[in-house]
Amino acid sequence: METTASGGGPGGPDGPDGPGRGFGCASFNQDSTSLALGTRTGYKLFSLTMVEKLDCIHESETPDVYIVERLFSSSLVVVVSSSIPLRMYIYHFKKGTEICNYSYPNNILAVKLNRQRLVVCLEESIYIHNIKDMELLQTLLNTPPNPSGLCALSVNHSNSYLAYPGSATIGEIVVYDANNLTTVTLIPAHDSPLAALTFNVSATRLASASEKGTVIRVFSIPEGQRLFEFRRGMKRYVTISSLSFSPDGQFLCASSNTETVHIFKMEQTGPSRGDEDSSWGAYVGKMFSTASSYFPAQVSGMMSQDRAFATVHLLASGQKNICTLAIVQKLPRLLVATADGQLFIYNLDPQDGGECVLAQKHRLFGVDEDQAEVSDPEGSKVTGPAQTCPTYAATAALPATGPITATLTGYSEDGGAKKGEIIPEHEFAAGPVCLDDENEFPPINWCRDRTGGGQGRHS
């Protein structure tokens, strides 16, 4: 479910607002409760538990960030800057502390993580770490050229499936078991090279799109059998920038460099039962299915493909964006973060679909040309800049103990932000950073004065 978009890669953030405010990257965390944003001037973390209010829970002044990934709602954040694109930093942002940093032989193109594994993707190699102690478990060398760093890691850590391109010329997918360190299956998904990959929450399905961007396919995992095929469009090729399943796995959203975001519904098509057998719709469906079997494979495939269940039309096209489906305040929502620094929240009708209604728009960085708060034609308010974030220096300056803990809302993996819980005392404990995954997040269980293997360095 985790979705990520990069605005400039190791060469540096490339945003529409010019130096100082340019978009570098954006990523939703694994359960879409948080948004991480990287720019030329640093990175920000936002909580996504409310529609009307966008809380910035942390801000760092690390320059030229092009990768920033947060582990669920924990304190662990992974950051890569274009100033040192070969080095990955891991921070405990609530303590303002660097946990460790690791260097690699080439530019880091992507980082994926769940509760068991941390995966670093380079152009022609992949490094798999145990997230609890950052031990390097496996290095996949001589992988097909992957200049975009395309890969996906399942949120479900009980299997930790990793998907990455198996070819630079066709859309072949390698599914790898990052827990048992074995290849699971190879999926011939598309005729063209891959452009997007994502697992559903339970890691039983994998969605993919090619560079053409016309067809999105969904496969069973670990078998690799094709389950669904959705047609995004036929008139033009597009670049699909993100795919994301809904938490229940019933919907799949896809955003591209066009103004349209598509939402597809996973509906099993099979023999009707009961009274439906005698209905006109069932009769037409059977006739249609029978007729399609007499056509060539390409034609019959076109006839069996489902179109979008719901759509969103953004105000602008041609810019990078990421999308995710989440439950916010007990209702299904579509969230779209765009490269010009805006977050759009739409209501999704899970029964009837259709055009999604804009519920709220938030400014992530920069300033709207309009007034700080105006009315949308459909009645929804458009907010001004997000709330001021606590800086890295301010976070680091928090006292080790004291009444300050009673006034800070917790953002722990078990939903502290939603429940209004308080950051536990151990988050501000004095002494060296020694994180225990049973008592504290993130789940890294070694201290700062220990050293690890490989090319990493513990701070």
Side-chain angles (χ1 to χ4, degrees):
M1 241 176 77
E2 183 185 32
T3 51
T4 306
S6 176
D14 183 17
D17 294 333
R21 287 172 18 194
F23 168 83
C25 62
S27 66
F28 294 105
N29 67 341
Q30 294 82 358
D31 56 6
S32 299
T33 58
S34 177
L35 172 66
L37 180 74
T39 68
R40 288 187 181 277
T41 58
Y43 71 88
K44 299 179 180 181
L45 302 177
F46 298 94
S47 173
L48 301 176
T49 57
M50 299 182 66
V51 174
E52 296 81 9
K53 185 180 179 182
L54 183 66
D55 285 328
C56 182
I57 58 176
H58 180 68
E59 182 174 11
S60 170
E61 296 179 356
T62 304
D64 297 333
V65 171
Y66 71 92
I67 293 176
V68 54
E69 299 284 346
R70 185 183 183 189
L71 178 62
F72 289 90
S73 295
S74 74
S75 305
L76 188 150
V77 177
V78 178
V79 177
V80 183
S81 169
S82 61
S83 60
I84 315 177
L86 279 67
R87 184 173 297 174
M88 171 188 69
Y89 291 88
I90 302 180
Y91 296 108
H92 188 298
F93 77 84
K94 291 176 187 174
K95 292 181 177 179
T97 308
E98 178 187 318
I99 298 173
C100 64
N101 65 75
Y102 275 73
S103 295
Y104 300 86
N106 299 105
N107 289 343
I108 300 170
L109 301 180
V111 177
K112 304 294 179 182
L113 55 164
N114 61 26
R115 292 185 179 95
Q116 290 289 339
R117 297 290 180 258
L118 185 149
V119 176
V120 178
C121 182
L122 312 186
E123 183 168 357
E124 295 185 357
S125 59
I126 295 175
Y127 293 77
I128 301 175
H129 295 268
N130 180 4
I131 199 170
K132 293 184 179 181
D133 56 12
M134 283 304 292
E135 176 187 358
L136 180 61
L137 302 176
Q138 184 69 286
T139 303
L140 304 177
L141 297 174
N142 301 317
T143 57
N146 183 13
S148 65
L150 176 63
C151 63
L153 179 67
S154 63
V155 175
N156 186 350
H157 61 279
S158 63
N159 45 44
S160 293
Y161 288 130
L162 170 68
Y164 62 91
S167 171
T169 56
I170 61 173
E172 183 180 68
I173 305 172
V174 177
V175 179
Y176 188 86
D177 186 337
N179 278 354
N180 297 311
L181 306 177
T182 58
T183 299
V184 176
T185 187
L186 300 177
I187 303 175
H190 303 271
D191 294 332
S192 301
L194 298 170
L197 294 167
T198 191
F199 287 98
N200 65 346
V201 172
S202 60
T204 57
R205 292 176 177 176
L206 172 67
S208 66
S210 73
E211 290 181 351
K212 289 184 177 179
T214 55
V215 173
I216 297 167
R217 296 190 171 108
V218 178
F219 302 90
S220 66
I221 299 298
E223 301 83 8
Q225 297 178 351
R226 186 188 301 182
L227 300 177
F228 300 96
E229 187 173 81
F230 302 109
R231 181 157 293 279
R232 194 215 57 82
M234 294 176 57
K235 296 181 180 179
R236 54 179 172 172
Y237 292 165
V238 302
T239 301
I240 292 182
S241 53
S242 71
L243 294 172
S244 180
F245 283 97
S246 60
D248 61 3
Q250 295 301 305
F251 300 93
L252 174 69
C253 63
S255 64
S256 66
N257 58 340
T258 70
E259 69 282 359
T260 307
V261 179
H262 296 79
I263 301 174
F264 303 98
K265 190 173 184 178
M266 309 290 149
E267 293 182 308
Q268 295 287 354
T269 57
S272 300
R273 298 193 301 264
D275 295 336
E276 293 179 352
D277 287 337
S278 58
S279 68
W280 172 251
Y283 173 75
V284 172
K286 290 179 180 179
M287 292 295 292
F288 186 82
S289 178
T290 302
S292 67
S293 64
Y294 293 98
F295 290 101
Q298 286 185 325
V299 177
S300 63
M302 287 286 295
M303 295 174 70
S304 65
Q305 288 164 2
D306 296 312
R307 290 189 176 273
F309 171 76
T311 56
V312 160
H313 290 87
L314 304 173
L315 299 178
S317 62
Q319 62 181 1
K320 295 181 181 180
N321 58 71
I322 57 171
C323 61
T324 191
L325 293 164
I327 301 298
V328 183
Q329 293 180 298
K330 300 182 179 181
L331 293 176
R333 320 276 187 177
L334 170 70
L335 285 66
V336 183
T338 61
D340 61 354
Q342 297 185 87
L343 174 66
F344 296 89
I345 303 177
Y346 295 89
N347 295 331
L348 169 64
D349 186 338
Q351 300 299 323
D352 300 325
E355 184 73 16
C356 297
V357 177
L358 178 65
Q360 199 76 20
K361 183 181 78 169
H362 297 284
R363 169 61 64 177
L364 301 174
F365 65 87
V367 180
D368 279 321
E369 294 180 358
D370 306 329
Q371 295 180 349
E373 185 172 300
V374 297
S375 295
D376 184 82
E378 297 184 8
S380 62
K381 285 187 177 181
V382 178
T383 65
Q387 287 193 345
T388 303
C389 301
T391 64
Y392 185 89
T395 305
L398 289 173
T401 59
I404 187 71
T405 58
T407 61
L408 297 176
T409 303
Y411 291 88
S412 59
E413 278 190 354
D414 58 358
K418 294 181 180 179
K419 299 177 184 177
E421 296 173 353
I422 304 302
I423 293 179
E425 188 67 23
H426 59 70
E427 285 279 347
F428 300 95
V433 178
C434 186
L435 305 180
D436 184 349
D437 65 330
E438 294 183 354
N439 302 314
E440 195 173 75
F441 300 110
I444 293 181
N445 56 15
W446 39 260
C447 301
R448 286 198 301 173
D449 57 352
R450 291 181 58 184
T451 58
Q455 300 184 33
R457 182 177 68 84
H458 301 281
S459 301

